[in-house]
Amino acid sequence: MTVTIDTSGRGDAAFGFWSSARIVMWRGWVKTQRMPSIVVQSLFFPTFFLIVYSGLYDAVTDLPGFPTDDVTNWFLPFMLFQGAAFGGLGAGFGTAVDIDSGFFDRLLLMPGNRSAIMVGSVGYALLRSLFVAVVVAGVGVALGASPTDWAGVPLLALAVVAISIMGSLYSLALIYRVKDQRVAPLFPIGIFVLLFVSSAQVPLSVTTGWLNAAGRINPVTNLLRLGRQAFLDTGVTWEDTWGGLVAIVVCTALLGWWAERGLRHYNP
Amino acid sequence: MDHPIVAEGLVRRFGDLVAVDGVDLHVARGEIFGFLGPNGAGKSTTVRMLTTLLSLSAGSATVAGYDVEREPHIVRRVIGVALQEAAIDPIMTGRELLKLQSVLHGIKGRVASDRGDELLERVGLTAAADRRVGTYSGGMKRRLDLALSLVHEPEVLFLDEPTTGLDPTSRQALWEEVRRLNDEFGTTVLLTTQYLEEADQLAGRIAIIDGGVIVREGEPDQLKSEVGSPTLRLDIDPSRHDEARAILSQYGESRPARSERVAIGLEGGAARVAEVVRSLDETSIEVTHMELDAPSLDDVFAEATGRRLEGAAETGAG
Ligand SMILES: Nc1ncnc2c1ncn2[C@@H]1O[C@H](COP(=O)(O)OP(=O)(O)OP(=O)(O)O)[C@@H](O)[C@H]1O
Ligand SMILES: [Mg+2]
């Protein structure tokens, strides 16, 4: 009963980074299916807001220079982002539960590279986010949203994926450091602030003062510019695209680094 | 590599609290080593350091020859761990958890499922394999946890209070399983416990830990004999007590006993009982009843710490 041990170097690769990440992701998915309430909750808010905003804020499109006539076109990308961001937090929530129950120790005892746990959690939350996105998009189309430039649709999809990943990495970075389920209710606060201090509700041009200043430097504003192009009168332009792409690369890299460091130094 | 588990001067602080305070351990290959101590003694903290889940404040440790701080990933390949709070997900089934555990240890496909089936059989969970773990009894959860810790055929097994909270039957079953593993595969086992009986029955050698410090270490019998000789109580017709005492005095000092009895601390232990009986018989002193009470590990614990463990363990939930 001995194990052949490769003592040369770290040899972590022998333990299949991707198969480990996949099995962690698979577990998350299995659990979600058995607790459908989780999905119902992540579906409910973006769908509900989309319906309410589309009904209530029709007049917003009458603002001078508003980039679309259709209020659903305006709010759909925002609601997809919201769904993706909160879906992404599922990675942190799931990990918080695992830390609390001690299950996380079992994962930490894997001989391979522990980053696979992080990647698996992000992947699982992404699956959830994508499921939500498809449903919310369906509701949006039913409410009358229709792309003005189909070239923008893959860009919107890219932004949704990126936002889910960022939400996951952010929540994981926090939970890997705080290691306590009690921090979990704080996850959504950061997301709310970022989403709302942006051009999410109205174009930046109609905001003033600090809100305008904060909105300008908020990467979410750039992501929204990128993602909304599919639904605005102007269609896809490079000017509205590049800022979002930079935001995706920079934010994902920074959050990924932050989360990975947290996990690497996890051992208390 | 005669000692798969070696710890030297192991220290762990949590703020001002010193949970483990200079623990030295040398566990030999193929040994079942018991780590006995009351609540808060530092058992889990020691196990968590040895299994790479907790960093060391001072000291060093190797498991299977690998340094737990410098080569933690190699240590994790060769150890199986069942932690105190059986870390199992109530929403998953036993079989699913085995699959997860296998993949995390680099075992896949057919090999993994065969191994999973074999382990389920081994711990008697075949029938419950596809049920959610949340529906398992405490004993079943523990057995599943044990099975999970074995998927990669570990060389060294750490079991943190594997039987706390189990009824006597389940406890016996788990002991059997640990013994079998040790017999069949020579797996080195370090198990922590607050149960004297468990340490006594299962472990070849034990360390008693209290307040983060190892206060006694050795084979249970040897530790017990160090505490003192066993008490031999003999029921003898009171009219012959003086005669009997005279004969018995050569076997050990007299000890207090009920009126119809004579008691001594039997030097040399159980092996000399026959000799005692023969001496009495030669003088035709009839012994109607006889009891030999060996010192227990609780006496060892009491002698080392001035407190008793017995009873405390039964109420302490851990
Ligand atoms: N993460 C932690 N932070 C602070 N203190 C801790 C931590 N873990 C353990 N301790 C403390 O260290 C001491 C030893 O705890 P440990 O869990 O090792 O005891 P134990 O022997 O396993 O006890 P039990 O039989 O109750 O499981 C206790 O006083 C405990 O409160
Ligand atoms: Mg403990």
Side-chain angles (χ1 to χ4, degrees):
Chain A
M1 184 166 209
T2 45
V3 185
T4 336
I5 296 158
D6 163 30
T7 50
S8 62
R10 306 217 129 202
D12 287 343
F15 286 89
F17 184 88
W18 292 107
S19 54
S20 298
R22 234 182 0 251
I23 201 82
V24 171
M25 182 165 152
W26 165 81
R27 166 173 173 255
W29 191 241
V30 168
K31 288 192 70 166
T32 306
Q33 284 171 327
R34 292 184 192 158
M35 294 189 290
S37 57
I38 299 180
V39 182
V40 171
Q41 193 199 11
S42 18
L43 269 178
F44 176 78
F45 286 101
T47 315
F48 179 78
F49 281 124
L50 185 62
I51 293 169
V52 170
Y53 284 1
S54 301
L56 281 181
Y57 293 156
D58 199 29
V60 80
T61 56
D62 297 339
L63 286 167
F66 204 84
T68 174
D69 296 337
D70 188 325
V71 69
T72 315
N73 272 3
W74 178 250
F75 280 117
L76 177 58
F78 173 41
M79 286 309 141
L80 288 173
F81 281 19
Q82 191 187 313
F86 286 99
L89 297 185
F93 283 120
T95 303
V97 172
D98 282 347
I99 290 176
D100 204 52
S101 71
F103 195 86
F104 199 63
D105 287 331
R106 182 179 301 288
L107 300 179
L108 289 176
L109 283 165
M110 65 181 281
N113 186 343
R114 283 174 171 178
S115 297
I117 304 170
M118 180 178 100
V119 172
S121 307
V122 170
Y124 141 70
L126 180 59
L127 273 183
R128 232 170 86 175
S129 298
L130 289 178
F131 177 75
V132 171
V134 168
V135 175
V136 173
V139 172
V141 169
L143 288 172
S146 84
T148 52
D149 186 345
W150 283 93
V153 173
L155 293 176
L156 176 60
L158 172 71
V160 164
V161 168
I163 286 188
S164 172
I165 294 174
M166 290 181 212
S168 297
L169 292 173
Y170 158 77
S171 62
L172 290 175
L174 285 181
I175 196 70
Y176 290 159
R177 283 176 175 77
V178 183
K179 305 178 186 82
D180 190 326
Q181 205 170 10
R182 282 171 294 179
V183 77
L186 298 180
F187 294 158
I189 293 178
I191 302 284
F192 261 112
V193 173
L194 274 178
L195 282 180
F196 282 85
V197 185
S198 70
S199 56
Q201 309 278 8
V202 290
L204 274 188
S205 54
V206 305
T207 61
T208 53
W210 71 269
L211 201 59
N212 181 279
R216 262 174 216 295
I217 55 166
N218 184 347
V220 174
T221 302
N222 283 310
L223 285 167
L224 279 163
R225 280 172 75 186
L226 171 77
R228 271 192 175 134
Q229 299 180 91
F231 289 98
L232 300 187
D233 297 345
T234 43
V236 175
T237 63
W238 176 242
E239 195 203 332
D240 282 337
T241 303
W242 72 267
L245 295 180
V246 170
I248 289 175
V249 172
V250 172
C251 294
T252 311
L254 281 177
L255 289 168
W257 173 80
W258 191 33
E260 201 276 334
R261 253 181 78 85
L263 183 58
R264 186 140 33 96
H265 300 290
Y266 184 89
N267 276 20
Chain B
M1 202 173 32
D2 298 308
H3 292 89
I5 305 174
V6 176
E8 266 152 16
L10 215 53
V11 174
R12 175 64 206 205
R13 296 186 197 94
F14 295 107
D16 288 339
L17 177 88
V18 187
V20 172
D21 193 3
V23 160
D24 296 316
L25 281 178
H26 295 263
V27 178
R29 179 166 302 284
E31 189 169 43
I32 299 183
F33 189 87
F35 211 42
L36 175 71
N39 285 134
K43 304 182 295 294
S44 298
T45 306
T46 305
V47 167
R48 293 178 75 81
M49 286 193 281
L50 293 174
T51 56
T52 78
L53 288 172
L54 200 60
S55 57
L56 281 53
S57 300
S60 65
T62 59
V63 174
Y66 301 102
D67 190 288
V68 295
E69 291 217 290
R70 277 181 287 119
E71 304 156 300
H73 49 286
I74 307 183
V75 170
R76 289 198 285 266
R77 286 187 213 180
V78 294
I79 59 172
V81 185
L83 293 171
Q84 188 168 352
E85 325 75 26
I88 44 187
D89 187 335
I91 297 184
M92 311 281 288
T93 68
R95 201 186 297 283
E96 285 166 346
L97 286 173
L98 274 162
K99 175 176 161 184
L100 177 109
Q101 183 88 1
S102 299
V103 173
L104 291 179
H105 283 86
I107 308 160
K108 281 173 237 164
R110 186 92 223 140
V111 183
S113 57
D114 286 352
R115 178 98 187 114
D117 289 344
E118 180 196 319
L119 284 168
L120 285 166
E121 184 75 50
R122 196 179 176 101
V123 298
L125 287 175
T126 306
D130 296 309
R131 258 165 56 192
R132 291 191 195 179
V133 173
T135 68
Y136 285 18
S137 71
M140 291 165 82
K141 284 182 188 160
R142 281 296 179 181
R143 295 204 309 272
L144 176 65
D145 202 13
L146 181 65
L148 289 169
S149 71
L150 297 174
V151 291
H152 55 301
E153 308 190 329
E155 210 179 310
V156 184
L157 190 59
F158 291 89
L159 304 173
D160 195 0
E161 298 198 20
T163 66
T164 298
L166 299 192
D167 65 36
T169 319
S170 309
R171 190 172 299 167
Q172 287 284 353
L174 214 116
W175 290 356
E176 275 316 306
E177 198 40 57
V178 173
R179 268 194 210 109
R180 235 172 80 198
L181 277 169
N182 180 255
D183 284 350
E184 287 176 28
F185 306 108
T187 310
T188 306
V189 181
L190 185 149
L191 79 104
T192 79
T193 183
Q194 348 182 350
Y195 297 123
L196 298 157
E197 196 196 351
E198 185 158 290
D200 216 347
Q201 300 266 316
L202 203 49
R205 223 151 50 83
I206 65 166
I208 298 179
I209 183 169
D210 186 42
V213 179
I214 293 185
V215 291
R216 286 291 180 278
E217 187 181 341
E219 290 169 19
D221 286 342
Q222 167 218 334
L223 290 176
K224 285 182 282 190
S225 67
E226 279 169 16
V227 175
S229 44
T231 303
L232 178 66
R233 295 189 184 85
L234 301 163
D235 286 18
I236 292 170
D237 180 357
S239 64
R240 317 274 318 255
H241 275 189
D242 290 340
E243 264 176 281
R245 283 206 183 91
I247 295 168
L248 287 170
S249 65
Q250 57 183 305
Y251 297 100
E253 18 106 61
S254 162
R255 289 202 177 150
R258 291 208 307 263
S259 58
E260 74 280 13
R261 286 184 170 177
V262 179
I264 56 163
L266 184 59
E267 276 160 29
R272 299 192 71 196
V273 171
E275 217 178 305
V276 173
V277 176
R278 222 175 300 124
S279 308
L280 292 171
D281 196 42
E282 275 161 16
T283 16
S284 16
I285 297 176
E286 197 192 352
V287 176
T288 54
H289 182 82
M290 186 169 73
E291 281 171 22
L292 184 69
D293 271 346
S296 67
L297 281 178
D298 200 26
D299 297 321
V300 177
F301 183 81
E303 188 252 347
T305 67
R307 285 176 292 123
R308 295 231 159 235
L309 197 55
E310 193 83 274
E314 302 302 323
T315 50

